[in-house]
Amino acid sequence: MITSVLVANRGEIARRIFRTARSLGLSTVAVYSTADAGMPFVDEADAAVHLPGNAPGDTYLRADLIIDAARRAGADAVHPGYGFLSENAAFAQAVIDAGLTWIGPPVDAISSMGSKIEAKKLMAAAGVPVLAELTPAAVAASDLPVLVKASAGGGGRGMRVVSRLEDLAAEIDAASAEALSAFGDGTVFCERYLATGRHIEVQVMADRHGTIWAVGERECSIQRRHQKVVEEAPSPLVERIPSMRAELFDAARKAAAAIGYVGAGTVEFLADESGNFYFLEMNTRLQVEHPVTEETTGLDLVELQFAVAAGEHLPPEPPPTVGHAIEVRLYAEDPLHDWQPQTGTLHRFRLEREIRVDSGVEDGSEVSPYYDAMLAKVIVSGPDRTAVARRLAGVLERATIHGVGTNRELLAWILRHPAFLAGDTDTAFFDKYGVGPGTDDAVVRVSALAAALADAAGREVPVRVPSGWRNLPSQPQRKSYRVGDAVHEVEYRLTRDGLVVDGNITLLDSGPERVVLEVDGVRRVFGVAAYAGLVCVDSSLGNVSLTPVERFVDPADQVAAGSLVAPMPGTVIRVGVAVGDVVKQGQPLLWLEAMKMEHTIAAPADGVVGELTVEAGQQVEVGAVLAVVGEDA
């Protein structure tokens, strides 16, 4: 009988499992790295054990430390969540050997799916459709494009799309290096790449007594870098093709039966527009996107995991799917700048209470570079897909998120896009439609004006003379703000007749945190929040983060021309040049890893590498000078 569970994970999924465990009357134990000491999941557990260090290899991937933590805290069960050690057969066996209950599938089932190469052979033998594996040496021009794929792990790591034979060797080496770093196994293989496929997956749940459920399907086709961004249930494609659901469910049950599966798992397929589908992999764990299945079936999949681990029987059939649910992954990243991760203090994080938000953060949380960039999963459900999409878009637009840049504008744009609403959601969505227009320059300008007026209101003298007011005409007040690479200069005057500024704008009211403007005859309210080095402005026009620009720059803060600086904190994983090398504009010089993603640092212009200040394995902070490229003498 389970009485206390240790969750061998962090953030959002740890909080999610704790929530169900508490409802079942179980006590909870967290493990946490040094970087995570102040995160909400630590305080929410009944007990917590520190894993010294920050990198996953020193903390959440240390099976010995986690099992020791379970013993010390008195836990009698371990739930792995997703990621980290959740699909590590050796860890599952170690948990069992320690006399603890493993809240997961049998060790042999994990092992059989641990290698994608071997998994595809098993599935083919079980009658599950698969894409033929291609050995790298056998790839011909007629096979292109192909997907180079890591045999171990998941989450998009160690994957490369190759369209030219001359690029194949280099991409295989890069994918192998990334897979080795992420999973400890550099084995890769190739398969035919369906550029416009649909990513369809079936949730399975199986007990120890032979009952196997196919609990609805999900579509997760909109992805960046092979990582999911939007997930929904049911699939728009499957809804359109009447015979497809039964065939998918049959294939998923065959897959689970072939490996003697027990517990919650997901069988993933790649499908074309005609309804043909092929096995991709089986995730022997709970999926990130499990909430959309819960919202459309009424099930608590984590509760079922506990029940199955305790030996209980599942009913003969799962409940039917009702309505529609959409989940978006709110990431701390910048889609307009190659999805660069964003780090720092999340000053304010507020979303509507009436919807489901599975989040690992709250006001004041520190977003570190060591782990995945996902802040929260935002889920809306209802009877109609279009209504659900529009409501979710509105929720994102009205959210208050200050301190860390996110992809929320992209998510709202996707949800309102005509192609999405029509169900055109294949894996080439971003290739077809881009990543949204970004914030309109006019919105930035009026938001910067609101920020300047709020700042002025906060500086008013006690007799209520407006800041910047002059008895005689004078020079305008000026304040500059940076948004991305652009600097916006605000110029205005406050006179007896009111605000004087370029454009058809009237000041109706102003305070340190709220400015009301009439813009082109329309009244708009701007909420303004000022933090150290940051001003966040929220309005019905959009959400804008502004960095005040100091009028006088300290020379010590300037860097030499041609300097390449780290765009985010991270680890240097490869260096491709040496001092004195001649390089071309756009040539990759080194690679950073941050938040489970790899980022290339390229030469800004033709020249010679004059300085190289880092080496592989080195940790760097944002803004650190990595290299300097000078003119070719």
Side-chain angles (χ1 to χ4, degrees), residues 53-345:
N54 292 321
D58 299 327
T59 54
Y60 299 108
L61 292 175
R62 286 286 301 274
D64 56 335
L65 296 182
I66 291 170
I67 291 172
D68 180 64
R71 288 197 183 103
R72 289 161 58 193
D76 49 29
V78 172
H79 193 304
Y82 52 70
F84 296 130
L85 293 170
S86 63
E87 294 178 280
N88 186 302
F91 176 58
Q93 187 63 59
V95 169
I96 295 168
D97 291 344
L100 304 170
T101 299
W102 168 248
I103 314 295
V107 172
D108 288 346
I110 300 173
S111 296
S112 62
M113 293 294 101
S115 164
K116 293 184 179 65
I117 294 173
E118 296 305 314
K120 293 179 76 165
K121 293 176 181 177
L122 279 171
M123 294 301 104
V128 179
V130 300
L131 283 170
E133 177 196 339
L134 300 169
T135 60
V139 175
S142 58
D143 297 317
L144 298 175
V146 297
L147 182 66
V148 180
K149 197 171 185 180
S151 181
R157 309 295 301 279
M159 295 176 69
R160 299 288 191 281
V161 177
V162 181
S163 300
R164 303 190 312 164
L165 276 179
E166 55 266 38
D167 297 333
L168 183 61
E171 295 292 4
I172 286 173
D173 289 345
S176 180
E178 186 179 9
L180 184 63
S181 172
F183 314 121
D185 183 348
T187 305
V188 298
F189 65 98
C190 299
E191 64 185 17
R192 185 163 57 91
Y193 179 63
L194 301 182
T196 58
R198 300 283 194 120
H199 189 118
I200 312 293
E201 58 190 36
V202 178
Q203 175 72 57
V204 296
M205 179 65 71
D207 63 19
R208 296 177 182 174
H209 312 286
T211 299
I212 302 174
W213 283 358
V215 196
E217 86 284 345
R218 301 184 285 255
E219 180 158 344
C220 315
S221 300
I222 298 182
Q223 303 178 8
R224 55 97 164 105
R225 295 185 171 184
H226 307 292
Q227 295 187 25
K228 301 162 189 173
V229 176
V230 180
E231 300 119 342
E232 58 183 311
S235 158
L237 175 67
V238 177
E239 289 281 272
R240 199 175 72 227
I241 302 175
S243 62
M244 189 176 179
R245 181 168 289 122
E247 294 170 0
L248 275 169
F249 286 9
D250 180 61
R253 285 190 291 262
K254 284 179 179 177
I259 60 173
Y261 200 77
V262 174
T266 299
V267 187
E268 302 196 350
F269 300 95
L270 191 64
D272 63 24
E273 294 298 324
S274 300
N276 302 306
F277 59 87
Y278 308 93
F279 174 83
L280 280 177
E281 61 187 8
M282 184 173 183
N283 294 129
T284 53
R285 55 172 168 80
L286 196 67
Q287 289 281 87
V288 177
E289 56 273 21
H290 75 273
V292 294
T293 296
E294 294 182 328
E295 293 298 307
T296 52
T297 61
L299 294 171
D300 182 329
L301 293 174
V302 176
E303 182 177 348
L304 287 174
Q305 286 185 294
F306 280 109
V308 166
E312 296 182 18
H313 288 259
L314 291 173
E317 297 293 333
T321 295
V322 178
H324 203 92
I326 301 176
E327 169 183 297
V328 293
R329 300 191 190 187
L330 186 65
Y331 284 108
E333 66 183 11
D334 184 353
L336 295 176
H337 291 84
D338 196 29
W339 313 97
Q340 284 183 5
Q342 307 292 297
T343 59
T345 302

Side-chain angles (χ1 to χ4, degrees), residues 222 228-232 288-289 291-292 325-331 351 355-358 374-380 388-389 392-393 395-396 407-408 410-416 420:
I222 298 182
K228 301 162 189 173
V229 176
V230 180
E231 300 119 342
E232 58 183 311
V288 177
E289 56 273 21
V292 294
I326 301 176
E327 169 183 297
V328 293
R329 300 191 190 187
L330 186 65
Y331 284 108
L351 290 101
I355 62 164
R356 179 171 175 176
V357 179
D358 287 11
M374 189 175 73
L375 301 178
K377 304 180 309 197
V378 187
I379 308 105
V380 168
V388 167
L392 182 50
V395 166
L396 293 166
N407 66 336
R408 60 107 160 252
L410 169 70
L411 297 175
W413 173 80
I414 292 169
L415 294 165
R416 296 190 187 282
F420 178 85

Side-chain angles (χ1 to χ4, degrees), residues 335-480:
L336 295 176
H337 291 84
D338 196 29
W339 313 97
Q340 284 183 5
Q342 307 292 297
T343 59
T345 302
L346 190 61
H347 298 295
R348 195 174 299 173
F349 186 74
R350 311 279 172 80
L351 290 101
E352 293 181 13
R353 294 180 180 272
E354 292 76 18
I355 62 164
R356 179 171 175 176
V357 179
D358 287 11
S359 171
V361 296
E362 59 187 18
D363 289 3
S365 292
E366 289 291 327
V367 181
S368 81
Y370 300 106
Y371 314 113
D372 186 85
M374 189 175 73
L375 301 178
K377 304 180 309 197
V378 187
I379 308 105
V380 168
S381 59
D384 176 74
R385 180 178 183 269
T386 298
V388 167
R390 287 175 174 162
R391 184 180 178 210
L392 182 50
V395 166
L396 293 166
E397 290 167 341
R398 291 188 296 272
T400 303
I401 306 172
H402 294 169
V404 177
T406 73
N407 66 336
R408 60 107 160 252
E409 286 82 7
L410 169 70
L411 297 175
W413 173 80
I414 292 169
L415 294 165
R416 296 190 187 282
H417 198 285
F420 178 85
L421 296 174
D424 181 13
T425 55
D426 63 40
T427 54
F429 190 90
F430 292 137
D431 293 331
K432 290 178 180 177
Y433 306 113
V435 293
T439 305
D440 185 85
D441 193 60
V443 174
V444 174
R445 288 198 301 273
V446 72
S447 298
L449 173 62
L453 292 168
D455 180 64
R459 299 172 187 270
E460 287 180 357
V461 297
V463 294
R464 301 289 296 172
V465 176
S467 174
W469 185 87
R470 298 291 186 272
N471 190 42
L472 296 171
S474 179
Q475 295 297 313
Q477 294 294 301
R478 292 186 176 89
K479 196 164 183 65
S480 298

